[in-house]
Each structure stands twice: as C-alpha cells, then as structure tokens.
C-alpha cells in the first residue's frame, strides 16, 4: 500500500487543484511583472497593492535565500556563452510563452515539469527535449523565465537535486528581448 492509497481521492483532487491554481497565479504574476503584495498576513502574488487585501489565499513562492551573485548570469555573460555555444539554456516558462518568443538556443522545460525532467534518464531526456540531458557536474546550465522569478525557483529546485553549479539569468526574456530588439526564435 502506498501513501496515495491511504488518502481519500477527494483530498488528492483538492491538493492537486490547489497546486495548479497556485502555479497559474505565480506564472500570471511573473508574466505581468507583478510584485508580491501583502494579502492579510502573508505575501501573495495576486496583483493587489501592498496593504490591500485581495481575499485570495495563496502560498507564495519564496526562496530560502536569494541566489548568490555567482549563481546569476548577466546579459553579457549569457550572450558570450551563447555565441561560444557553451551553455545549456533552459526556458522554464510555459509552452505558449516560449512559442510567442524565446532566446535562440533555449530548450523549453516548463517549471512544473522541471523536477521530473531533471530526474529523467539521459536517453529519455534527449527523446523528450531533443537536447542532451544536463549532468549534475555541468557548469554551463542556465535557467531563465520572463523576469527572473521562476528561474530563481528553478535554480533552487536544480540545486536541491544536486545540480549545484547551475545558474540563472535574472533579467529573463523581458530583458533579452528589450536589449536584442524584440522576439527571437
């Protein structure tokens, strides 16, 4: 008997629904560039102004510690890595965001799929994402999203799974598109 067998189906459904709603709220806030607002006593990504309650109860995505400077890649560093083809660049935005525009050479691995993707066997990863699987020893793994929030979360996930040399591009696609002059395919 597994842990899942001991839980009522309705509880599992409620938990999954809550997680999906939370993910949708965080992704929407990130895409809109919203700053965390205080809703009641806890921070939430709901778009409300600070001090204004919105009535939505969410749990925020909060990093234990902000990424250290050596875990962050600048625009200039990423541009040099791409030009020398010495980067494994993973875009953790949703597929529709990726299709609307992305950094050339990036592989789309949505944040919600990242844990499973990083645990895949190399052959399975290559079959699903059409690139070589990253290795825990690789120093050239870089995550990015729209504005840096989801990629910071991706970085925390990767570090937790043993990819301790991974980094993230905090400027995200928003900075890249602005500096490069528009969407890239």
């Amino acid at each position: 008997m597994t842990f899942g067998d001991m839980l009522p189906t309705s509880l599992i459904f409620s938990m999954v629904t809550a997680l999906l709603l939370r993910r949708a709220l965080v992704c929407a806030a990130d895409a809109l560039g919203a700053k965390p607002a205080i809703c009641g006593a806890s921070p939430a990504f709901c778009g409300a102004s600070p001090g204004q309650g919105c009535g939505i109860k969410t749990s925020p995505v909060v990093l234990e510690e902000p990424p250290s400077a050596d875990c962050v890649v600048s625009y200039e560093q990423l541009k040099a890595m791409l030009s020398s083809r010495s980067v494994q660049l993973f875009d953790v935005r949703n597929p529709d965001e990726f299709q609307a525009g992305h950094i050339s050479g990036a592989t789309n691995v949505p944040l919600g799929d990242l844990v499973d993707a990083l645990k895949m066997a190399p052959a399975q990863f290559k079959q699903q994402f059409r690139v070589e699987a990253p290795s825990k020893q690789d120093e050239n793994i870089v995550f990015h999203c729209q504005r840096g929030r989801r990629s910071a979360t991706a970085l925390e996930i990767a570090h937790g799974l043993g990819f301790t040399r991974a980094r993230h591009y905090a400027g995200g696609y928003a900075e890249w598109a602005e500096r490069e002059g528009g969407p890239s395919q």
Side-chain angles (χ1 to χ4, degrees), residues 135-155:
S135 164
K136 291 182 180 182
Q137 295 78 30
D138 291 343
E139 296 180 355
N140 64 347
I141 300 168
V142 178
F143 297 102
H144 86 87
C145 61
Q146 187 67 24
R147 299 186 189 280
R149 286 185 187 93
R150 287 176 280 179
S151 62
T153 301
L155 181 65

Side-chain angles (χ1 to χ4, degrees), residues 80-96:
M81 292 171 86
L82 284 165
S83 128
S84 67
R85 296 190 169 152
S86 61
V87 65
Q88 296 177 80
L89 183 60
F90 297 103
D91 185 330
V92 296
R93 297 177 300 156
N94 293 326
D96 58 323

Side-chain angles (χ1 to χ4, degrees), residues 25-87:
L25 288 171
V26 170
C27 292
D30 184 49
L32 296 172
K35 301 288 185 207
I38 303 301
C39 295
S42 63
F45 294 95
C46 64
S49 300
Q52 174 187 31
C54 66
I56 297 175
K57 295 182 181 180
T58 65
S59 58
V61 173
V62 177
L63 298 174
E64 294 296 320
E65 298 175 16
S68 63
D70 59 334
C71 290
V72 178
V73 173
S74 69
Y75 167 81
E76 291 78 12
Q77 289 171 313
L78 181 58
K79 193 160 176 84
M81 292 171 86
L82 284 165
S83 128
S84 67
R85 296 190 169 152
S86 61
V87 65

Side-chain angles (χ1 to χ4, degrees), residues 73-75 146-147 169-180:
V73 173
S74 69
Y75 167 81
Q146 187 67 24
R147 299 186 189 280
Y169 172 42
Y173 181 71
E175 178 185 60
W176 184 268
E178 180 181 309
R179 294 183 79 169
E180 292 289 312

